[in-house]
Amino acid sequence: MEISYVFKNNYSLMKKILLIAVGIAVAFLTQAQKFTSDKTYVKFFSDASIEDITAENTKSSSIFNEATGDVVFSIPIKEFEFDKSLMKEHFNEKYMETEQFPKSTFQGKISGYQPSGTGEQKATAIGKMTIHGVTQDVQIPGTMTNANGVLTMKAKFMVKLVDYKIKIPQLLWTNIAEEVEVTVEFNYKPL
Amino acid sequence: MKNIFTIVFLLIAGCLCAQDDLMKELEQNQKPEINYVTQTFKGTRIINGQSVETKGKGELEFIFSHRFDKISTGPYQVWGLDGYPAVRLGLEYGITDRLGVGIGRNFYYNNKMEDLYLRYKIARQSTGAKSFPVTITGIGTMMYQPYPNATDAANNSVPLPSTSDRLSYVAELLIARKFSSKFSAQIAPTFVHRNAVDKSLENNDDIAIAFGGRFKFTRSLSLIGEYYSRMNVHANSPYYNSVGAGLDIETGGHVFQLIFTNSLGLNPNTIVTQTDTKPGDLRFGFNITRTFQLAKRK
């Protein structure tokens, strides 16, 4: 009795409650369609005359919103593991300046993926990639597979060091290719 | 009508910042981590003395240290290049990322010495979930002096020392902090014990405090400096405190250090106890290191 009285006489309160209800509904709706990374794998490969360099990282994380296509990736640079200790030190200290720029990120949308589809689907990630503190607009083609609620995202692409202001010291230039090949494979489970 | 506009606005705003929100969510989900500071110094030596750095697991470092004669010998001796050099050839191996073992052979004319040491990184400077202000490394060195052997002793009519008299020991506790990516400093209390000394000039036990630092001015070039302050100098000691400064050049697997120092010492014993020229009377020298990865990390 008292409550309905309040509603009838306080239009603005009703409006607020309505807004909150819609807000909560939207939040729940999107929450249900989010995926978080379970297993992650990022590899880069630099093919140079003297020495090929490979590094692997399994400590990345990502969230993918299936409903909106929004996706974010965060890759901790110091977790790249090399064959040689010295390579890891140089990678962090000289090229990536990891103390200053500890993470590389991607924020964007995935287009071309149908949540209802089956098998491997071609998809493109479009958005902003930040490496070494430099942000670039990128389009990365890859594939998505949805099998029994486990989502797998795969892509292979080239990163030009000059685009991200990663400088190669003169004394070292023969050791490092100017372009490196990056391979990513992320497995997702519902959040 | 008005509230519908508000809802539409909120939904649009929600879409626009969705990726930023997603990024925030990602960051919140991440566990707090410990960030260990690396490369406080480029190499395992600052100038003559040791740094807190250890080799990575499975890494073998070859160190070639060379000191020419005094610059004050003048142009006829090409400012020391013609004189007797002091040389140390050394190897160091990383058993783990924190534990290393090293051996070296030092020679300067007839003064020969072998050194063997164990190095352990006791604590690592870190930020993040666990924060610690400094890196601490302990080094224990044992030295053996092969000179004079039986022939040398007979030729120079000096007594042949016993094995025990040829031995000396050094304990060092190195404490370093990387203040920024450019500047690092180190302080190292050093204790030297020699079994046999000339008691009229020398102590059996010497204590020194070593100060070292580097300033990195490009990604591959650093200025380096080092000073050993002896705490209990013998009243008749003919020796001096060791001082050195130089340039540290790092390339792929090499570190080149171009050095000016008054010390011939290339191991902690001779640095502290046998620096025989004044701090201003310098020699030119260099250290070259080459690192080999013997065992793969993975």
Side-chain angles (χ1 to χ4, degrees):
Chain A
M1 196 61 199
E2 188 121 43
I3 292 168
S4 66
Y5 173 79
V6 171
F7 271 127
K8 269 177 199 155
N9 293 285
N10 196 334
Y11 183 66
S12 75
L13 180 65
M14 215 176 91
K15 197 168 74 176
K16 270 181 200 159
I17 288 170
L18 184 69
L19 274 178
I20 290 164
V22 169
I24 289 169
V26 167
F28 267 104
L29 222 64
T30 51
Q31 197 74 34
Q33 287 146 330
K34 268 186 204 166
F35 286 82
T36 180
S37 54
D38 187 21
K39 277 188 201 145
T40 70
Y41 177 79
V42 181
K43 181 179 94 169
F44 78 78
F45 173 71
S46 151
D47 167 29
S49 55
I50 291 182
E51 203 168 20
D52 288 346
I53 295 168
T54 304
E56 293 170 326
N57 187 335
T58 55
K59 302 280 168 63
S60 309
S61 52
S62 169
I63 295 182
F64 172 56
N65 187 332
E66 196 179 54
T68 60
D70 289 322
V71 68
V72 292
F73 291 89
S74 175
I75 299 163
I77 297 304
K78 71 177 169 63
E79 301 296 346
F80 276 102
E81 293 296 339
F82 294 73
D83 281 345
K84 300 182 179 180
S85 306
L86 210 58
M87 280 182 181
K88 183 175 178 175
E89 271 179 27
H90 289 159
F91 173 72
N92 285 298
E93 174 98 356
K94 290 189 163 179
Y95 304 111
M96 301 302 287
E97 300 175 83
T98 307
E99 278 175 14
Q100 216 179 332
F101 311 111
K103 285 187 174 116
S104 285
T105 59
F106 176 85
Q107 295 190 45
K109 268 184 189 295
I110 288 188
S111 69
Y113 168 67
Q114 299 297 329
S116 53
T118 52
E120 200 176 83
Q121 301 181 36
K122 283 206 160 72
T124 308
I126 302 162
K128 292 184 186 308
M129 181 135 77
T130 305
I131 303 175
H132 188 237
V134 179
T135 303
Q136 295 282 358
D137 286 314
V138 292
Q139 288 197 24
I140 299 164
T143 61
M144 305 266 292
T145 315
N146 192 344
N148 305 322
V150 178
L151 204 60
T152 307
M153 221 180 258
K154 286 185 195 175
K156 192 181 260 190
F157 54 95
M158 302 302 286
V159 171
K160 261 193 184 160
L161 301 187
V162 65
D163 287 349
Y164 297 93
K165 299 201 168 83
I166 299 167
K167 283 176 259 163
I168 302 167
Q170 282 277 289
L171 289 163
L172 267 177
W173 67 272
T174 48
N175 252 355
I176 313 283
E178 285 168 10
E179 217 174 18
V180 298
E181 182 192 81
V182 179
T183 309
V184 293
E185 186 173 334
F186 279 62
N187 281 324
Y188 294 84
K189 59 177 195 294
L191 191 73
Chain B
M1 202 54 206
K2 208 172 156 192
N3 58 348
I4 289 169
F5 276 126
T6 320
I7 290 166
V8 169
F9 172 75
L10 279 177
L11 285 175
I12 290 169
C15 290
L16 283 177
C17 63
Q19 289 159 16
D20 286 337
D21 285 349
L22 223 50
M23 203 48 140
K24 272 184 203 131
E25 198 177 329
L26 195 65
E27 277 158 14
Q28 278 161 9
N29 287 349
Q30 281 165 357
K31 287 183 208 110
E33 47 192 24
I34 306 169
N35 293 309
Y36 290 109
V37 169
T38 59
Q39 290 220 313
T40 306
F41 293 97
K42 299 255 182 193
T44 53
R45 301 296 187 283
I46 298 181
I47 299 270
N48 302 310
Q50 304 265 20
S51 81
V52 288
E53 292 299 327
T54 48
K55 298 313 292 177
K57 187 184 174 185
E59 274 186 332
L60 180 72
E61 181 183 61
F62 170 67
I63 314 169
F64 174 38
S65 310
H66 191 113
R67 304 289 179 270
F68 293 100
D69 205 349
K70 290 176 278 187
I71 294 165
S72 60
T73 53
Y76 182 64
Q77 296 285 347
V78 204
W79 295 276
L81 300 195
D82 283 354
Y84 282 114
V87 173
R88 180 178 180 274
L89 298 170
L91 289 172
E92 180 162 344
Y93 183 72
I95 298 165
T96 71
D97 282 346
R98 298 172 79 165
L99 177 68
V101 59
I103 52 166
R105 168 80 173 187
N106 308 260
F107 54 95
Y108 168 63
Y109 193 44
N110 264 336
N111 189 345
K112 301 170 191 293
M113 199 178 269
E114 278 140 19
D115 63 69
L116 170 71
Y117 58 87
L118 269 180
R119 173 204 296 275
Y120 185 69
K121 203 180 262 184
I122 300 159
R124 292 174 287 178
Q125 186 182 341
S126 63
T127 58
K130 192 180 131 229
S131 166
F132 196 74
V134 290
T135 299
I136 303 172
T137 297
I139 301 176
T141 312
M142 193 173 98
M143 275 142 298
Y144 178 80
Q145 214 163 342
Y147 177 84
N149 66 7
T151 320
D152 294 328
N155 288 347
N156 300 307
S157 42
V158 290
L160 189 67
S162 68
T163 303
S164 139
D165 282 353
R166 295 173 186 272
L167 290 172
S168 55
Y169 308 89
V170 180
E172 295 165 277
L173 192 67
L174 318 171
I175 304 159
R177 179 169 167 82
K178 191 176 188 178
F179 287 91
S180 70
S181 62
K182 286 193 186 312
F183 179 66
S184 303
Q186 176 178 296
I187 180 165
T190 303
F191 174 76
V192 184
H193 173 80
R194 290 177 290 169
N195 281 347
V197 294
D198 177 353
K199 285 209 162 69
S200 64
L201 301 171
E202 301 169 301
N203 306 314
N204 279 102
D205 296 323
D206 286 285
I207 296 166
I209 300 192
F211 302 91
R214 75 134 184 206
F215 179 76
K216 197 171 92 175
F217 57 91
T218 75
R219 284 184 297 167
S220 301
L221 291 175
S222 307
L223 278 172
I224 42 178
E226 184 183 79
Y227 180 69
Y228 276 78
S229 178
R230 294 172 305 156
M231 296 287 112
N232 58 331
V233 185
H234 193 284
N236 302 325
S237 174
Y239 299 108
Y240 299 92
N241 286 343
S242 162
V243 62
L247 190 66
D248 195 307
I249 305 161
E250 191 193 33
T251 69
H254 294 95
V255 177
F256 296 98
Q257 295 174 304
L258 306 178
I259 289 160
F260 290 97
T261 176
N262 67 327
S263 182
L264 279 171
L266 296 167
N267 63 67
N269 176 349
T270 38
I271 298 166
V272 173
T273 63
Q274 286 165 51
T275 296
D276 61 357
T277 48
K278 285 181 189 153
D281 199 359
L282 300 175
R283 332 168 166 266
F284 176 63
F286 56 83
N287 299 338
I288 294 175
T289 72
R290 169 76 207 184
T291 300
F292 304 92
Q293 184 85 32
L294 293 191
K296 281 199 172 185
R297 291 186 65 80
K298 286 175 286 193

